[in-house]
Amino acid sequence: TNQPIPITKNFEVKPVTLKADQSQTKLALKANGNPEKGTRDAIIRAEATHNGARYVVYSAAFPVTVK
């Protein structure tokens, strides 16, 4: 299949966890060694469990540029 290249090929990304009293956080992207230069679209996947039900949500695509 024609899957997009994972962001982890060009960036170091560490998962973040929101606590119950938080509504937002920052996700740090750090370029790996010799990343491909250019602009690519990225999407964030969020997972949560509430009262035993699992939820998965995706962000809108946003541009990430490596110069």
Side-chain angles (χ1 to χ4, degrees), residues 7 9-11 30-38 40 66-67:
I7 196 167
K9 178 181 179 224
N10 291 300
F11 293 95
K30 181 180 177 185
N32 284 336
N34 189 17
E36 295 177 22
K37 295 187 180 355
R40 307 269 186 304
V66 174
K67 295 182 178 183

Side-chain angles (χ1 to χ4, degrees), residues 27-63:
L27 179 67
L29 300 177
K30 181 180 177 185
N32 284 336
N34 189 17
E36 295 177 22
K37 295 187 180 355
T39 300
R40 307 269 186 304
D41 283 340
I43 296 172
I44 301 294
R45 178 178 186 229
E47 299 179 13
T49 303
H50 181 68
N51 291 334
R54 183 169 178 240
Y55 299 89
V56 178
V57 204
Y58 295 88
S59 73
F62 59 93

